[in-house]
Amino acid sequence: MRDDLQLISDWIPQGATLLDLGCGDGTLLAWLGEHKQTRGYGLEINQDNLAACFEKGVNVLEQDLDSGLGNFQDGRFDYVVMTQALQAVLRPDQILNEMVRVGREAIITFPNFGHWWVRSYLAFKGRMPVSSALPYQWYNTPNIHLCTVQDFETHCRKHNVQILERQVINRHHRSGFLAKLWPNLFGEIAIYRVKA
Amino acid sequence: MPQQIPADSVGLVEPKTHHFDTPLELECGRTLPAYDLVYETYGTLNSNASNAVLICHALSGHHHAAGYHSEDDKRPGWWDTCIGPGKVIDTNRFFVVCLNNLGGCHGSSGPSSINPETGQPWGPDFPMMTIKDWVNSQVRLADVLGIQRWAAVIGGSMGGMQALQWSIDYPERLSHSVVIAAAPKLSAQNIAFNEVARQSILTDPNFHGGRYYLHDTYPRQGLILARMVGHITYLSDDAMRMKFGRDLRAGRFHYGFDVEFQVESYLRHQGEVFSRNFDANTYLLMTKALDYFDPAREFEDNLETALAQPSCKFLIMSFTSDWRFAPERSREIVDGLVHAGRDVSYAEIDTPKGHDAFLLDIPEYVKLFGAYMHRVANEVESGVNTVENTNA
């Protein structure tokens, strides 16, 4: 399982109810269902991913995150999870509000655009950064709203979203000493647990 | 039949009839003392009867869902695209059952069959049927076949409504419910279209109050008109544009009321063929069954309460261009199931083909439906859900 998914699964307690936004092939939901008896649904629009979820027996609903979560009631889920999709939605601020409305807590992961590699790539090469966390070219990237750890935290403070926990993992996918000390510089992927 | 039976066809099939002597109490308050159900099966029932799948038909459907009846058949059963060896509903893995619903005109007891009390066709005296009644009759067929629990109950359109009703009324008797291009109840517009279809039949001078059998005639024109109206709702605006556009049959205007545009020709042809093969009283009865369908009604009009009854897993599918039962209608079902915390997956197939899409070979549809059924078959073969199958 992807490192950020591994970290998330550690945060989710036994028997929790989940909504996984952009659930991909259902890996996280399947793993949590099996190991922690969680129940829930994934939202996905990619056909291959839907088919993979169907095969796995993961509940998945074809629904575009950009059309909101209006069909889910307040506090319907223990956790609303969104991994590596915040930067790809039309309005990250609105989806974040929806997540903390529908979930008692929300877990979000995104690639940190403040990471030193990204900064130096742009600074020295003068080109849009490409890395393992950001594998696309400028013209085909689905990532339209990239942000840094600092951007995200400033936004949360301004909009009364409480940050309960933060983890950053570095290029070697470890939660190293430097990344703990200077997350905005040494964290490649940021993982947050937040609530309204 | 084609020169050679395709490898993925169930081949030549034969309908069977079962006579039921136990009276069936109906929602309308009347009782059907005895009745016949005609059905077909494809594939082989496994030793613990856990691989059975029930196919519920739509408005103009019947028990002949796959394969051919004779070498002379030009076309296979109505859902041959999805049922057969290696197909979405894989007859190498599933035992597939499809029946003609009560009130039908393809062999099961209905208005055109003989009322034993009078020795004459039932006609308008055949009791009004509902989706719930059909499900009750299907339960009896399942009992006869030794199927305690269906691996899946599957249907499109009106068939989807039966699959949904099954999950509410007999939660312990199915593992999966597959509801395609359906709705939790008809809208006013849906009922309005049905009413136009019914009025065209009821006002046909050959209808004779539904006793046209005795006059050796049938309301042909009414049926044609009913089907033409229905057919418009099965296709989308885009599908019609692509299929016919404003194409003219003779390439020029004739300034008259004969068939000029291709779309007119198509609709008349569809109506014509239908009128020869379908009983008018059955059409009236089945459209009413659609209109009455509203499972929430029993639960103080609360769909979420109704959808808290099922314990099976659901696949709900809709088609983007379906305006008869639009995706929003399927999402009502999905939202209700999510609210009730039920296991549900939902796919919205992007196609211009309209309501009829559920019968067609659309790659995305076949792929997703197939992936789901693959999992159902895997569950059957790994022994999930078989505990209660003791009747086999």
Side-chain angles (χ1 to χ4, degrees), chain A residues 15-136:
Chain A
T17 55
L18 309 173
L19 182 66
D20 186 353
L21 310 184
C23 67
D25 64 3
T27 304
L28 180 69
L29 285 172
W31 192 90
L32 287 169
E34 192 182 334
H35 294 92
K36 295 204 167 177
Q37 288 71 50
T38 58
R39 290 177 56 84
Y41 309 89
L43 303 186
E44 190 42 73
I45 45 172
N46 177 281
Q47 203 193 102
D48 293 329
N49 283 336
L50 287 166
C53 289
F54 285 8
E55 290 261 6
K56 282 196 182 82
V58 165
N59 292 328
V60 62
L61 311 177
E62 183 165 354
Q63 185 171 333
D64 192 341
L65 301 184
D66 288 328
S67 56
L69 303 177
N71 50 327
F72 301 103
Q73 307 149 281
D74 297 2
R76 168 67 181 79
F77 298 98
D78 295 328
Y79 291 89
V80 178
V81 179
M82 185 163 68
T83 64
Q84 311 277 22
L86 185 72
Q87 74 281 0
V89 298
L90 278 180
R91 288 293 300 266
D93 55 336
Q94 290 175 358
I95 199 81
L96 185 62
N97 285 342
E98 281 287 86
M99 288 177 75
V100 295
R101 175 184 70 78
V102 171
R104 283 198 276 268
E105 290 184 9
I107 294 172
I108 297 166
T109 83
F110 58 86
N112 172 29
F113 211 67
H115 186 245
W116 68 268
W117 170 268
V118 174
R119 296 188 198 199
S120 47
Y121 199 105
L122 186 60
F124 296 115
K125 283 198 172 180
R127 297 184 59 189
M128 286 301 282
V130 177
S131 70
S132 58
L134 297 164
Y136 301 96

Side-chain angles (χ1 to χ4, degrees), chain B residues 322-341:
Chain B
D322 182 354
W323 62 284
R324 184 178 173 87
F325 300 133
E328 294 76 48
R329 310 305 314 282
S330 283
R331 281 202 296 266
E332 288 172 34
I333 302 173
V334 173
D335 288 347
L337 289 167
V338 168
H339 183 90

